[in-house]
Amino acid sequence: MPRMQIKVLDKAVQIIELLANSDRGIRLTDVRTALSLNKTTVLRILRVLESHNLVSRNGDATFVLGNRVLWWETCYRRNFDLLAVVRPHLEKLRDLTSETSIFSIVSDFRTVIVNQAVSSQVTSSRYDLGAACPLHAGASGKAVLAHLNAEKRKEFFTKTKLNRLTKGTTVDRTVLERQLKEITDTGVAITRGERFETTASVAAPAFGADGDVLGAIAVIGPSERLTKSRLKDIVPLLLQEARLLSGRLSRGARA
């Protein structure tokens, strides 16, 4: 690799480290000042990082880490073969329901998709691995949020703004807390059109060795096919796999 390309790579890593050490994101001027680079160079590097989903741009003109970094971090933290443990449960749910099944972990008050078994149907739902979503939107996020300990849930409501992703996203705290109570009572979260207008999903929490919620396993698909009665039929299948998966994860994923 030419020396100039190596220098650019060094600067890109330094920018990622600046983002990793920032709680609220950084502005272009912050990067220029910290690394003594001109505006053109910083913009060029940021745009390349953004194209690879390593950097994301907020609406307030700040830059934050992108979803791919979350995916890398997930792979590193879950080096006890989490994906291999989760995979059979996802495939079983896909085969039983004919719909896509996904597994997401919780990371910084967001769910991050780390594995999925995609439906073979022509019209099906699928996500990019590493895709992240706030906990208040969608079945996976709500299944996690409902089972966070009291301290963590309080921290979520303190730090997180309930932004609207679609017209179906819950943005009223009182309504959301009522929904979370129902989820803890039933063990599952069922949502329609909260992240994407035309999808429906049902999710159940998965717990780790310490008893804390680690993530969620879910079945997703087109809302026209996943009717209320169909989702109700899927619930016992999902709960069974969630229990089995939590059992394996609680043993350190070695069984």
Side-chain angles (χ1 to χ4, degrees), residues 79-82 85 207-209 246-255:
N79 59 4
F80 55 83
D81 298 327
L82 172 64
V85 172
F207 299 93
S246 292
R248 297 190 68 188
L249 294 174
S250 68
R251 296 191 295 274
R254 300 297 184 184

Side-chain angles (χ1 to χ4, degrees), residues 19-180:
L19 293 169
N21 287 310
S22 172
D23 293 331
R24 301 181 180 276
I26 58 176
R27 296 181 180 274
L28 179 63
T29 54
D30 300 327
V31 180
R32 292 175 57 196
T33 301
L35 301 183
S36 300
L37 296 173
N38 62 58
K39 181 178 180 180
T40 302
T41 300
V42 173
L43 273 176
R44 184 171 66 248
I45 296 174
L46 283 170
R47 284 170 180 165
V48 171
L49 292 174
E50 195 173 7
S51 71
H52 289 287
N53 206 19
L54 292 168
V55 167
S56 179
R57 196 178 317 211
N58 283 334
D60 60 355
T62 60
F63 293 88
V64 296
L65 291 177
N67 291 340
R68 180 169 288 186
V69 177
L70 291 173
W71 168 240
W72 287 351
E73 187 264 351
T74 297
C75 292
Y76 177 77
R77 285 196 299 119
R78 309 303 172 190
N79 59 4
F80 55 83
D81 298 327
L82 172 64
L83 303 188
V85 172
V86 169
R87 190 70 192 177
H89 300 281
L90 295 180
E91 291 178 346
K92 184 175 180 180
L93 279 172
R94 178 199 58 198
D95 295 343
L96 289 172
T97 65
S98 298
E99 300 292 349
T100 295
S101 59
I102 64 173
F103 182 75
S104 306
I105 61 133
V106 58
S107 178
D108 194 26
F109 297 127
R110 289 176 288 182
T111 53
V112 181
I113 297 174
V114 296
N115 208 345
Q116 67 179 328
V118 179
S119 168
S120 61
Q121 299 199 64
V122 175
T123 55
S124 62
S125 298
R126 65 190 68 198
Y127 293 108
D128 292 330
L129 295 182
C133 186
L135 296 184
H136 70 282
S140 292
K142 285 183 172 178
V144 168
L145 183 56
H147 291 86
L148 289 179
N149 61 48
E151 182 179 347
K152 280 289 186 181
R153 191 190 291 193
K154 180 179 179 181
E155 185 180 357
F156 167 81
F157 281 113
T158 300
K159 294 184 175 181
T160 305
K161 183 177 180 180
L162 303 181
N163 292 319
R164 188 180 299 279
L165 303 186
T166 71
K167 63 182 181 182
T169 306
T170 303
V171 294
D172 182 279
R173 177 171 175 173
T174 301
V175 174
L176 178 58
E177 290 185 323
R178 186 166 61 246
Q179 294 172 344
L180 297 178

Side-chain angles (χ1 to χ4, degrees), residues 86 90 93 101-106 111 138-147 183-184 186-191 201-207 213-220 234-246 249:
V86 169
L90 295 180
L93 279 172
S101 59
I102 64 173
F103 182 75
S104 306
I105 61 133
V106 58
T111 53
S140 292
K142 285 183 172 178
V144 168
L145 183 56
H147 291 86
I183 292 167
T184 56
T186 63
V188 295
I190 297 176
T191 60
S201 59
V202 54
F207 299 93
V213 61
L214 174 66
I217 185 169
V219 174
I220 62 173
I234 291 173
V235 166
L237 304 175
L238 178 65
L239 286 174
Q240 172 70 2
E241 294 308 310
R243 282 192 291 266
L244 293 173
L245 176 58
S246 292
L249 294 174

